[in-house]
Amino acid sequence: MSTDPLWTSRRALALVEEHDPGGLVRIGREALDLRQGDLGARLRCSASTVSRLEAGRHSDVQLLRRAAEEVGVPLDLLASSLGLRARARPTVERDPLPDQEDPMRRRTVLAAVGLAAPVSLLGGLETALASPPDPTGSPLPLDTRLADARTLFDTGRHSKLLETLPGLLGDTHQAAGGRRDLDYARLSSAYTLAATLLNKLGAYGTSRITADRAAAYAEVSGSPLAAAAAARELAAVLRHQGQETAAQRHIEAAAVRVEATGLATDAQASAYAQMLCTTAYTAAVAGNRDQALAMIREASHAARNLPDQAPSGRLFPITPASVDLYAVGVHWALGDAGTALEVGRNLQPGQFATAERKGRMHTDLARAWWQWGKPEETAGQLLAAARVSVAEVRDRPPIRQIVTELGARHPRVTGVRELVAIGG
């Protein structure tokens, strides 16, 4: 336990009691006379990432711990601020607040570092990543099995998908032994789907390995669309890890490769529109407003001739409505909740083909309402998301965090108790 006056001050202890680890990072940084950009340079992330971390709007626990270590936050204090242990109170002139344990907060944080799904299933996937399992001998064609696995994701059946992925990886590895480009593309698709799921569950360390594999096999396959899909997931995990510059580099390179196809087919045009959407959101998270807005406008232009409902099985089922949903996220990431809600006010669940996308529409609007300080509207959108796909509320760490905060701050708002039960 630290005896440093900074960490036994009333200000620090109040932050612990308020479960505000980002605030501890902030006072440690200020005590060292560091700017957010200075700390970002040490952590290899942007100043805007540090700003979000200190404001509690960045869910990467690993980055938080690195930042805390960099500015000298004692480990026991950091753990207590996260709700992971009871804090032994130091002796001070006056104890400002009673010590308390928050089990719901503890469960939320543990889930944020990879326990959103059953541990045994995550462990099985991690084992498959370390050494591809033996082939299953399934008589079903790989394309059918990949489509079935994608359906599990689209319908929010995350545990079943975790159960399915090791065997799918084993069989796609066996097929790739024939060294055909198409088989390498299928193998890349299996890894990309695994990375997509791990990103949603918040298991970013494992997702990074998985996305790297997807990118490597896509490169071998020579398919710009497979490479684009892998780059999208790699950009997502890099973004979550605070490496926005690297994320931007990967996604822009993928966009250039897709554009080089000539965009002669709807499949290629949809891939290009998707890369622009991902570029826009990555730029927004990094605080690059002009680039974010320019890219989302360009994505809308690129998607203008795409059908309102994407054909079944398309790798990038982007539609004009999907671009509008990305625009909601872009404006939210830029801190413009009002604009985000204005952009999304005409979106309807019927514009999206899968339960996952319908649920995502509601959770993205919920984030904007929460950012604007409207708990009733936030709860309403989250309940709508749960009714479409409970996994969108239960399994995503950032959304569970909002549910936790709703339960703590607005327990009497209609629907909040139901949401807490779903999340907990």
Side-chain angles (χ1 to χ4, degrees):
M1 183 174 60
S2 174
T3 58
D4 186 323
L6 175 64
W7 304 118
T8 58
S9 67
R10 291 187 179 87
R11 182 185 179 195
L13 298 181
L15 290 169
V16 171
E17 297 292 349
E18 293 165 7
H19 297 303
D20 186 0
L24 293 176
V25 171
R26 182 177 62 254
I27 66 172
R29 174 181 60 78
E30 290 171 348
L32 295 174
D33 199 26
L34 295 175
R35 296 171 298 180
Q36 289 178 335
D38 298 329
L39 179 56
R42 295 186 182 189
L43 299 172
R44 296 184 179 180
C45 68
S46 66
S48 60
T49 295
V50 174
S51 176
R52 290 194 304 279
L53 193 75
E54 292 181 351
R57 293 193 292 110
H58 198 293
S59 61
D60 190 333
V61 177
Q62 292 180 349
L63 181 64
L64 176 64
R65 178 164 182 168
R66 285 169 49 213
E69 290 175 348
E70 193 68 42
V71 300
V73 178
L75 182 58
D76 68 310
L77 221 59
L78 177 65
S80 295
S81 72
L82 288 168
L84 297 177
R85 69 174 65 166
R87 179 177 55 81
R89 291 173 290 185
T91 301
V92 291
E93 262 184 26
R94 179 184 173 193
D95 196 302
L97 292 169
D99 194 24
Q100 59 184 5
E101 182 82 345
D102 187 345
M104 182 181 295
R105 173 71 174 184
R106 179 172 60 250
R107 290 196 298 271
T108 300
V109 174
L110 288 174
V113 295
L115 300 181
V119 177
S120 60
L121 295 180
L122 282 170
L125 180 54
E126 289 174 348
T127 300
L129 293 171
S131 177
D134 294 333
T136 66
S138 171
L140 290 175
L142 281 175
D143 285 341
T144 299
R145 293 179 61 201
L146 282 165
D148 289 345
R150 182 72 203 191
T151 297
L152 292 176
F153 177 83
D154 288 338
T155 54
R157 298 169 65 189
H158 297 160
S159 292
K160 182 62 177 177
L161 180 53
L162 281 171
E163 198 177 320
T164 299
L165 280 168
L168 183 59
L169 288 171
D171 289 345
T172 49
H173 266 286
Q174 181 191 44
R179 300 182 182 279
R180 295 189 308 164
D181 289 348
L182 181 58
D183 290 326
Y184 282 124
R186 290 190 179 110
L187 180 55
S188 175
S189 294
Y191 275 111
T192 295
L193 180 57
T196 304
L197 176 61
L198 291 166
N199 278 336
K200 186 174 286 288
L201 298 179
Y204 302 125
T206 307
S207 178
R208 173 66 182 269
I209 298 169
T210 311
D212 279 336
R213 298 260 182 91
Y217 287 117
E219 188 69 29
V220 174
S221 78
S223 166
L225 298 190
R232 179 191 179 194
E233 296 312 317
L234 184 54
V237 71
L238 289 170
R239 191 171 63 234
H240 282 296
Q241 293 180 329
Q243 301 180 55
E244 290 92 347
T245 301
Q248 198 76 3
R249 184 171 64 249
H250 278 284
I251 204 66
E252 287 175 356
V256 168
R257 290 182 63 178
V258 172
E259 189 177 23
T261 65
L263 309 183
T265 68
D266 277 358
Q268 293 167 347
S270 64
Y272 184 60
Q274 177 65 73
M275 295 302 99
L276 293 173
C277 286
T278 305
T279 298
Y281 187 70
T282 302
V285 170
N288 298 328
R289 174 177 293 273
D290 290 345
Q291 183 180 17
L293 297 179
M295 288 296 100
I296 200 63
R297 284 195 297 268
E298 183 62 25
S300 182
H301 180 76
R304 70 191 186 284
N305 293 324
L306 293 176
D308 290 335
Q309 293 289 346
S312 176
R314 176 161 289 174
L315 186 58
F316 297 100
I318 201 91
T319 64
S322 300
V323 177
D324 288 342
L325 183 55
Y326 265 97
V328 171
V330 165
H331 289 290
W332 169 82
L334 291 171
D336 298 336
T339 305
L341 292 166
E342 177 63 23
V343 168
R345 68 186 177 91
N346 292 323
L347 291 176
Q348 299 294 328
Q351 294 174 293
F352 303 94
T354 67
E356 188 270 341
R357 284 291 97 183
K358 295 176 195 289
R360 186 60 181 255
M361 183 201 79
H362 288 300
T363 57
D364 279 8
L365 291 172
R367 290 194 307 178
W369 282 117
W370 185 242
Q371 188 181 70
W372 208 8
K374 302 289 185 179
E376 292 83 2
E377 290 82 354
T378 302
Q381 288 292 341
L382 291 179
L383 280 174
R387 288 165 186 151
V388 172
S389 175
V390 70
E392 285 301 300
V393 175
R394 182 194 62 209
D395 291 352
R396 290 175 59 198
I399 302 305
R400 285 202 313 278
Q401 178 64 30
I402 293 176
V403 171
T404 299
E405 293 176 6
L406 273 170
R409 301 181 195 175
H410 307 283
R412 296 183 181 179
V413 165
T414 301
V416 168
R417 289 185 180 180
E418 183 180 346
L419 288 168
V420 170
I422 289 169

